Amino acid sequence: MRVPLSWLREYVDLPADVTPAALADRLTTLGLKFEALHAAGADVTGSLVVGRVLSFESEKHSNGKTIRWCQVDVGEGEPRGIVCGAHNFAVDNLVVVALPGATLAGGFEIAARTTYGHVSDGMICSARELDLGDEHAGIIVLGSADSVDMKPGDDAAELLHLRDDVIEFEINPDRAYALSVRGVARDAAIAYGVEFRDPADQVVPTPDDAGYPVRLDDTDGCPAFAARTVSGFDPTAPTPRWLARRVQLAGMRPISLAVDVTNYVMLELGQPIHGYDRNAVSGPIVVRRATAGEKLTTLDGVSRSLDPEDLLITDDSGPIGLAGVMGGETTEMSESTSDVLIEAAHFSAVTVYRTERRHQLPSEASRRFERGVDPTLPARAAQRVADLLVAHGGGRIDDGVTLVGSAPAPVAVAMTTDLPTRVTGIEIDEATSVGALEQVGCTVEVAGGRITAVPPPWRPDLTDPNDLVEEVARIVGYDAVPSRSPVAPAGHGLTEVQRVRRRIGRQLAGSGYVEVLSQPFVGSSDWERLGLADDDARRRTIRIANPLSEEEPELRTTLLPGLLRALARNVARGQVDLSLFETGLVFLPKGDGAVAPIPSVDRRPSDDELAAIEAALPDQPEHLAVALCGDRERAGWWGGGRAAGWFDAVAAIRAVAETLGVPLTVRSGAADPWHPGRCAELVLGDEVVGRAGELHPRVCTAYGLPARTAVAEVDLAALLARADTMVVGPRVSSYPVAKEDVALIIDASVPAAEVEAVLRSGAGELCESVRLFDVYTGEQIGEGRKSLAFALRFRAPDRTLTEADTSVARDAAVAAAVQRFGAVPRV
Amino acid sequence: MSGPSSDYDPVEVTPLRADEVEKMRDDALAAVATAGDLAALKQARQEHTGDRSPLALANREIGALPPQARKEAGRRVGQARGAVAKALTEREQVLEVEREQRILAEESVDVTLPWDREPRGARHPLTTLQDRIEDVFIAMGWEVAEGPEVEAEWLNFDALNFGPDHPARTMQDTFWLEPAAAALVLRTHTSPVQARTMLTREPPIYIVCPGRVFRTDTLDATHAPAFTQVEGLAIDEGLSMADLKGTLDHFWESMFGAGITTRFRPSFFPFTEPSAEVDLVCIACRGEQPAVATCRTCKGEGWMEWGGCGVVNPRVLVACGVDPERYSGYAFGMGIERTLMVRHGINDMRDIVEGDVRFTVPFGMEI
């Protein structure tokens, strides 16, 4: 809401020394949030005077333009010669002349300069050059030589109401009254403790049956409807400059007297008005809901299919307006409309809100109705419009005053006297509360420790005791809220999962991974780049009904798209050696068509209702992913580097599993988007919870990543669910260690992890550790075979092992591997 | 060589003459003194103290002397051998020190050589800032609550007093999920976590709810469609806006240091009534003249908008099964991105979401 201060001051006598900024601050503390201050016309400086065009000659120039070389009387005795490109004026017209030295909107400086072969000694101004509007095709014609209210040489800035201060507020939904100058003025009067003159205080003739006939078929949707008619009005009459200027400064475009007046009254009172070309309306107006199949072409030229819930203004021809949202085309006021039917009605907030949403048709009117308009305004607003129309456009207000229905009565709200103190923590006595509520317009009664307030009609938002408290608190001032040291009961700190999650982040960062947090939106191009088959489970996604981008309408089912895009972005920016990780939720549809119920809010939902809500949510497990490319260890003066590879990705997840105390095993697998021969399945129990390895070469290409880029992704939620981070303190034996190396030749397809596991179990309790230290393939070993070399360490808790102890254990380990894999011990 | 003869009793044996022994000793000492390194010393030791050295041979001759002469000769040879042994030990120590010094000198390196062999990792500053915020509340006895990001419409809106036909629903530009009938959204705030907590726990409740939230804002310098919030909720007997203010004052002091205060302005949120916007005194100029006049952080305002708060609307308590006659509470919320940007002088939201390692690495493990 933009409020010109000249307008505001008509209804409230603000102290002379109040600056616009101070006023804005003060109103902000009352709940009208300051958004911006506009010093309208402030950048137009210097002499701006009324000029009379004495004569002009049209000259056609070589650039194809025809200009007028004008002699203009600016009240100086001698006329000035001025070149003008516009053609919308005649001799003896009064125009606006900027004299040399003046500055116009946008810092445009005027000087006497030679143009089109003449010295142009000033400029005749258009509306746009003065920041008075968009009009630039022609110059402003103020009037003709016989105008009584101005003469050449007069100050044009004042005539045009150029200078004003405008405060722009962001009005919250609960303060609909402040979508009017009336409402802002009321709060300004409270702010400075001065009198408020209500522009809605109008004398309205008693309604009668002689007015335009109106019937309300739906008094829930339209409880009150006022109508007046004006006849013989001059449709070509100009809008008074002050009125047009205020409408413009309030953020609306001046159009014609009739339209400007309806907008002016809406801005002034907050009551939306609609004007009809009376001669285009046939028969009585009926307000009713639409019937199926009805259509209406609205003022914006769009033909709309109506919903049976839409509330309509109709006449004998059918729908002529969407109530409270937008009028229809057939009854629109035109340039020749001289008889006007004025509608000022009250429509229910919900009805207007739904129609506006359904037809995607927000308007100044609907914005006010959906938040709540003072329902007692219609008759007064209609009168105000009629008065202004005949005052500036001639004609007369017809006899007959229509007012059908009546404003709903406000509902009283009660609170205990101590509620303001209990809620705000400020000591507020009864008298203060009552005074504050009366200031905002409530009718207040106090009895039996309770304050009962009947809200004024412009405050439909005051429905609950706490609403009254907020009114009291804002009048007393939020600054009065004391600061009390908080005392919560003893807490338990972070949960185990929250702790462990931090630990994983630190662990990965400590080993050189950089965390990224990607946006979770994906699309089919991601699946194509990843090379996922059409029936891949990860392509079964949840779709956003209103995505920001049609390219990314889905929610991620895997972290890889975002992570790989981040990796590629880094590569494209010249970073080559990269290790990234990400944790975050992925979204897996259940595909059972479950619907989340919307229980009533006047009670706690039943456990069944809550369970149904939970059941309708998709699975949203937390995942962890890593991605690496380039060198994991860099080359330098110390020697060569080490390229990142599939094993780093596997190792990262293994290390996390170890931190979590989760028995994760690794086995060979194959899945997109991994290299089919370099993909590890990460297994927990019987379940594959993730994969790690080298990215498929085609995927590397698709993302613009270097060859051998490695990635891993694991269902972190599954790991966290099994986490066992309680370490049992190891007993450390102080007896000496015995070491044995074992080399086994086996089939190349046997996974090393399985051999290691068999050795470990075969070696028995004395075995402290088994470590693979070499893998060898070559001619000596034979085609399709490999040699694995393990270092075994043995130790007893209670004695020094003998050579016999050790060799028995070693032989048992080897025997197990021989039996299981047909391994051949190498000597 | 023959052994000493029992029947031959010479008065004098030449090698045992005093001048001969002195010469052997002096020759040995000279050889030790002139040994330039440990190898030369070893040779000198061999020549002058070995089995075939003159002093060793002379020693053997002692037995050939008449008994009365043996003592004197023995003393003479013994003293000479002792002196040589002592000289050898001393010389060896000197030479060992010299050798060590030489080796160490040869092994010296340029200690200014750089070491960047292992990559430097980092956690995302949003994560670590969230940790820090959580820790402040944990220290106050609060707990951290979490919830899903795809949320039921009822929990995101209805339970929080966003009526189905109230314009407040359009205050938060919401991502709706298909199919519309499922009534699911990407949560627009972490308030549903508050509702979930109230629905499942008895008061007193003191929780913070950090997490990712979603609005249909295109990514630009100050917006991201997915961003991070932390909200707080306290439900207990006798809580008021004063406790809310005290909590926020304490929190912001913990984040930005002593002297940071908050200011409330009336505002509107469906789930709180009364509601307030929280302004924080500018962390750069502290609102103090003359710094405030030229402050770029607050643009001369002295205050910075930091989020919303208020007293939990009793309607929310009712919908979430909390007795509004017995309990009251307060709630607040703020954006972690905004806090991060102001606290660390970050100008562009895109730096936070793009994952460029040059942005993230300097933040390290803690913030």
Side-chain angles (χ1 to χ4, degrees):
Chain A
M1 177 72 196
R2 291 168 179 246
V3 180
L5 291 197
S6 66
W7 201 348
L8 190 77
R9 285 178 186 273
E10 274 190 26
Y11 312 135
V12 54
D13 295 321
L14 294 176
D17 59 349
V18 172
T19 63
L23 175 62
D25 266 0
R26 187 68 188 87
L27 288 173
T28 298
T29 65
L30 279 176
L32 309 187
K33 191 187 174 199
F34 170 69
E35 184 72 19
L37 192 59
H38 307 279
D43 56 350
V44 178
T45 60
S47 284
L48 206 62
V49 299
V50 175
R52 177 180 166 194
V53 180
L54 300 174
S55 65
F56 63 80
E57 291 162 31
S58 288
E59 296 177 358
K60 191 166 169 77
H61 282 266
S62 54
N63 65 359
K65 276 193 178 169
T66 302
I67 58 99
R68 288 177 172 187
W69 171 234
C70 312
Q71 298 302 312
V72 185
D73 172 9
V74 293
E76 295 171 325
E78 284 298 306
R80 287 184 184 236
I82 298 174
V83 171
C84 184
H87 307 103
N88 67 323
F89 59 93
V91 168
D92 278 348
N93 275 174
L94 298 182
V95 296
V96 181
V97 180
L99 298 181
T103 305
L104 302 187
F108 180 45
E109 290 177 13
I110 303 301
R113 73 186 84 188
T114 302
T115 178
Y116 292 106
H118 302 283
V119 174
S120 186
D121 202 7
M123 193 173 87
I124 304 176
C125 303
S126 72
R128 196 206 292 176
E129 283 153 351
L130 297 176
D131 204 12
L132 283 170
D134 297 334
E135 182 58 44
H136 193 53
I139 52 95
I140 299 170
V141 176
L142 291 170
S144 52
D146 56 1
S147 295
V148 291
D149 59 342
M150 64 188 113
K151 60 181 189 306
D154 282 359
D155 180 354
E158 201 172 314
L159 269 169
L160 292 165
H161 305 274
L162 210 53
R163 180 74 189 92
D164 208 341
D165 289 300
V166 181
I167 304 178
E168 186 178 350
F169 296 100
E170 187 189 316
I171 301 300
N172 282 318
D174 64 333
R175 303 209 171 272
Y177 69 89
L179 291 173
S180 67
V181 180
R182 178 197 191 207
V184 175
R186 190 189 309 276
D187 272 4
I190 294 173
Y192 290 94
V194 294
E195 195 198 343
F196 167 65
R197 290 182 294 279
D198 190 346
D201 280 347
Q202 303 265 336
V203 179
V204 182
T206 313
D208 53 36
D209 293 336
Y212 199 92
V214 172
R215 194 178 86 222
L216 304 182
D217 281 0
D218 190 322
T219 48
D220 289 338
C222 178
F225 193 116
R228 298 303 298 274
T229 55
V230 168
S231 301
F233 155 86
D234 175 7
T236 64
T239 304
R241 279 187 291 274
W242 61 268
L243 194 152
R245 179 64 168 158
R246 283 183 178 179
V247 167
Q248 184 219 352
L249 291 178
M252 299 184 78
R253 201 160 60 90
I255 292 167
S256 67
L257 176 60
V259 173
D260 295 346
V261 163
T262 57
N263 284 336
Y264 182 83
V265 173
M266 176 182 70
L267 293 165
E268 179 184 69
L269 302 180
Q271 168 69 52
I273 313 281
H274 190 70
Y276 300 87
D277 181 337
R278 181 183 163 177
N279 298 319
V281 183
S282 52
I285 279 183
V286 175
V287 182
R288 61 163 171 85
R289 301 283 168 174
T291 54
E294 275 190 300
K295 289 193 176 221
L296 169 68
T297 302
T298 40
L299 282 176
D300 54 3
V302 177
S303 170
R304 298 173 187 277
S305 298
L306 302 175
D307 184 279
E309 262 201 355
D310 289 331
L311 189 68
L312 303 178
I313 314 298
T314 66
D315 68 358
D316 287 350
S317 71
I320 57 172
L322 269 177
V325 177
M326 193 175 274
E329 211 172 47
T330 57
T331 54
E332 183 179 7
M333 293 189 292
S334 71
E335 289 166 4
S336 61
T337 299
S338 57
D339 298 343
V340 179
L341 168 60
I342 302 158
E343 165 206 304
H346 187 73
F347 300 111
S348 105
V350 169
T351 296
V352 171
Y353 178 77
R354 289 189 182 170
T355 293
E356 178 217 303
R357 301 287 295 165
R358 189 177 299 122
H359 295 286
Q360 298 282 304
L361 201 55
S363 65
E364 290 284 343
S366 68
R367 193 154 72 96
R368 287 172 172 79
F369 279 125
E370 70 182 18
R371 286 165 169 77
V373 173
D374 179 346
T376 66
L377 283 173
R380 292 178 284 172
Q383 183 67 38
R384 179 94 169 110
V385 171
D387 288 344
L388 284 169
L389 277 180
V390 297
H392 302 290
R396 62 181 192 85
I397 306 174
D398 297 324
D399 294 339
V401 178
T402 304
L403 177 61
V404 185
S406 59
V411 179
V413 185
M415 65 174 173
T416 56
T417 316
D418 64 346
L419 190 67
T421 297
R422 282 196 284 128
V423 170
T424 63
I426 313 169
E427 288 301 328
I428 299 174
D429 60 24
E430 184 184 289
T432 306
S433 295
V434 170
L437 290 171
E438 285 176 344
Q439 269 190 291
V440 302
C442 294
T443 308
V444 185
E445 276 181 32
V446 182
R450 292 174 80 76
I451 296 175
T452 305
V454 178
W458 59 86
R459 292 303 302 272
D461 59 296
L462 300 183
T463 58
D464 290 14
N466 276 33
D467 297 333
L468 300 184
V469 172
E470 183 172 274
E471 290 307 300
V472 173
R474 77 183 181 105
I475 301 294
V476 170
Y478 275 28
D479 285 349
V481 174
S483 183
R484 194 153 62 205
S485 277
V487 190
H492 294 99
L494 295 176
T495 63
E496 262 324 290
V497 164
Q498 288 162 349
R499 270 181 225 284
V500 165
R501 217 186 266 133
R502 289 188 182 187
R503 203 179 304 165
I504 291 168
R506 291 203 190 100
Q507 174 185 349
L508 286 166
S511 53
Y513 286 87
V514 179
E515 185 177 19
V516 301
L517 292 170
S518 304
Q519 298 281 303
F521 310 106
V522 295
S524 56
S525 71
D526 288 298
W527 310 136
E528 275 147 35
R529 278 196 282 181
L530 287 176
L532 300 191
D534 288 346
D535 60 351
D536 191 292
R538 286 163 291 184
R539 279 186 183 251
R540 277 190 46 224
T541 57
I542 294 167
R543 296 183 74 89
I544 300 169
N546 54 332
L548 283 178
S549 156
E550 290 304 325
E551 268 82 65
E552 297 177 352
E554 301 167 61
L555 294 180
R556 66 187 179 193
T557 51
T558 155
L559 298 179
L560 295 183
L563 190 60
L564 291 178
R565 279 191 247 165
L567 192 69
R569 188 176 297 123
N570 275 287
V571 169
R573 291 178 181 178
Q575 283 91 252
V576 286
D577 305 320
L578 293 159
S579 310
L580 303 182
F581 82 101
E582 176 163 15
T583 59
L585 302 192
V586 301
F587 306 92
L588 311 175
K590 289 175 178 161
D592 55 5
V595 166
I598 300 191
S600 159
V601 292
D602 54 5
R603 55 167 175 83
R604 182 185 189 275
S606 68
D607 288 344
D608 284 348
E609 285 169 324
L610 289 175
I613 285 177
E614 287 310 316
L617 295 178
D619 287 329
Q620 304 173 55
E622 186 174 17
H623 275 202
L624 161 68
V626 302
L628 311 95
C629 65
D631 278 347
R632 181 81 171 114
E633 285 173 27
R634 302 175 75 178
W637 56 263
W638 52 81
R642 181 177 75 70
W646 59 268
F647 37 86
D648 288 303
V650 179
I653 306 299
R654 277 191 200 262
V656 167
E658 206 162 296
T659 297
L660 295 176
V662 168
L664 189 74
T665 54
V666 174
R667 70 184 184 208
S668 151
D672 294 324
W674 281 275
H675 184 308
R678 297 184 169 192
C679 173
E681 275 179 357
L682 310 169
V683 184
L684 189 55
D686 297 332
E687 193 192 353
V688 176
V689 293
R691 291 188 173 80
E694 188 175 304
L695 209 53
H696 195 291
R698 281 203 303 268
V699 180
C700 293
T701 308
Y703 277 95
L705 290 168
R708 310 280 176 220
T709 293
V711 295
E713 179 169 23
V714 66
D715 181 348
L716 185 58
L719 300 191
L720 289 171
R722 293 275 300 272
D724 178 10
T725 55
M726 181 60 72
V727 173
V728 176
R731 307 254 155 70
V732 177
S733 167
S734 55
Y735 289 93
V737 66
K739 302 175 190 174
E740 291 278 349
D741 287 352
V742 169
L744 298 169
I745 298 169
I746 51 168
D747 194 275
S749 66
V750 176
E754 289 179 28
V755 180
E756 184 183 312
V758 165
L759 282 175
R760 188 181 289 272
S761 68
E765 281 186 354
L766 294 176
C767 179
E768 187 176 76
S769 69
V770 176
R771 180 172 181 270
L772 176 73
F773 67 88
D774 193 29
V775 180
Y776 178 78
T777 53
E779 276 180 28
Q780 293 167 268
I781 307 297
E783 182 85 1
R785 312 273 289 164
K786 66 183 171 188
S787 167
L788 302 178
F790 294 90
L792 279 58
R793 289 164 65 92
F794 298 93
R795 202 189 313 250
D798 54 355
R799 65 199 159 94
T800 300
L801 293 178
T802 63
E803 263 184 53
D805 290 331
T806 311
S807 61
V808 165
R810 174 193 184 281
D811 291 348
V814 170
V818 169
Q819 197 213 337
R820 173 74 186 277
F821 305 109
V824 178
R826 203 176 168 207
V827 277
Chain B
M1 182 178 289
S2 59
S5 166
S6 55
D7 53 3
Y8 172 65
D9 189 15
V11 175
E12 190 178 86
V13 176
T14 307
L16 292 174
R17 273 186 3 229
D19 58 338
E20 282 295 326
V21 171
E22 262 174 46
K23 183 172 181 301
M24 290 175 208
R25 182 196 70 191
D26 291 346
D27 286 351
L29 290 178
V32 168
T34 56
D37 56 27
L38 287 167
L41 189 67
K42 187 180 177 187
Q43 175 144 10
R45 185 191 301 273
Q46 186 69 37
E47 282 173 9
H48 295 282
T49 65
D51 287 347
R52 301 205 167 262
S53 64
L55 278 170
L57 295 175
N59 197 44
R60 280 199 208 163
E61 297 294 336
I62 292 173
L65 289 177
Q68 67 274 24
R70 285 183 193 161
K71 189 176 176 191
E72 173 62 16
R75 186 186 60 80
R76 191 181 295 139
V77 174
Q79 279 179 347
R81 293 178 83 185
V84 171
K86 181 164 176 278
L88 272 169
T89 303
E90 286 171 359
R91 184 64 184 155
E92 187 175 51
Q93 279 171 0
V94 169
L95 289 175
E96 270 177 358
V97 168
E98 276 179 17
R99 182 182 66 171
E100 186 181 63
Q101 281 173 345
R102 191 183 67 248
I103 289 172
L104 292 180
E106 285 166 359
E107 286 178 352
S108 69
V109 296
D110 177 1
V111 294
T112 69
L113 286 172
W115 185 264
D116 59 354
R117 186 168 178 173
E118 289 88 15
R120 227 185 120 195
R123 300 168 76 207
H124 197 283
L126 282 178
T127 309
T128 48
L129 185 59
Q130 183 179 316
D131 284 358
R132 194 182 176 99
I133 292 169
E134 289 170 3
D135 289 345
V136 172
F137 284 98
I138 292 283
M140 290 162 62
W142 294 44
E143 291 175 5
V144 177
E146 298 161 313
E149 292 174 8
V150 168
E151 187 55 281
E153 181 181 353
W154 189 83
L155 281 159
N156 194 73
F157 288 128
D158 300 72
L160 301 166
N161 192 37
F162 286 82
D165 296 306
H166 195 283
R169 282 226 179 179
T170 55
M171 284 170 80
Q172 300 184 341
D173 300 317
T174 309
F175 283 111
W176 294 88
L177 302 181
E178 291 182 353
L184 299 179
V185 299
L186 282 171
R187 67 178 179 191
T188 56
H189 43 195
T190 59
S191 311
V193 182
Q194 303 182 14
R196 287 170 171 277
T197 307
M198 286 188 274
L199 284 163
T200 51
R201 274 178 50 179
E202 289 294 316
I205 292 170
Y206 289 83
I207 52 162
V208 279
C209 317
R212 203 167 227 210
V213 299
F214 307 83
R215 308 265 173 100
T216 56
D217 289 319
T218 306
L219 180 64
D220 63 20
T222 53
H223 298 88
F227 59 103
T228 329
Q229 256 192 354
V230 61
E231 295 189 16
L233 172 75
I235 303 285
D236 207 338
E237 292 178 6
L239 293 182
S240 75
M241 287 176 88
D243 302 287
L244 166 60
K245 190 160 187 350
T247 301
L248 291 177
D249 283 345
H250 178 82
F251 170 69
W252 289 115
E253 277 204 350
S254 303
M255 291 297 289
F256 290 121
I260 293 290
T261 53
T262 55
R263 178 177 82 171
F264 286 173
R265 281 183 286 112
S267 188
F268 171 78
F269 306 104
F271 38 92
T272 51
E273 186 75 27
S275 301
E277 296 271 353
V278 184
D279 289 343
L280 190 63
V281 74
C282 175
I283 60 160
C285 69
R286 305 268 166 139
E288 288 164 11
Q289 292 293 356
V292 65
T294 54
C295 182
R296 283 159 62 188
T297 304
C298 66
K299 301 188 174 65
E301 298 279 323
W303 295 90
M304 319 181 68
E305 283 183 46
W306 223 291
C309 66
V311 171
V312 178
N313 195 314
R315 287 174 185 252
V316 174
L317 298 181
V318 169
C320 295
V322 175
D323 178 4
E325 298 301 319
R326 180 173 174 196
Y327 294 107
S328 59
Y330 57 88
F332 55 86
M334 71 197 87
I336 298 185
E337 277 83 355
R338 173 165 164 71
T339 308
L340 179 70
M341 289 173 87
V342 173
R343 192 169 185 259
H344 296 272
I346 298 161
N347 292 324
D348 199 323
M349 177 73 81
R350 285 167 288 217
D351 289 334
I352 296 175
V353 305
E354 281 182 344
D356 193 313
V357 296
R358 293 168 301 169
F359 171 79
T360 307
V361 165
F363 289 99
M365 309 282 270
E366 302 266 346
I367 199 167

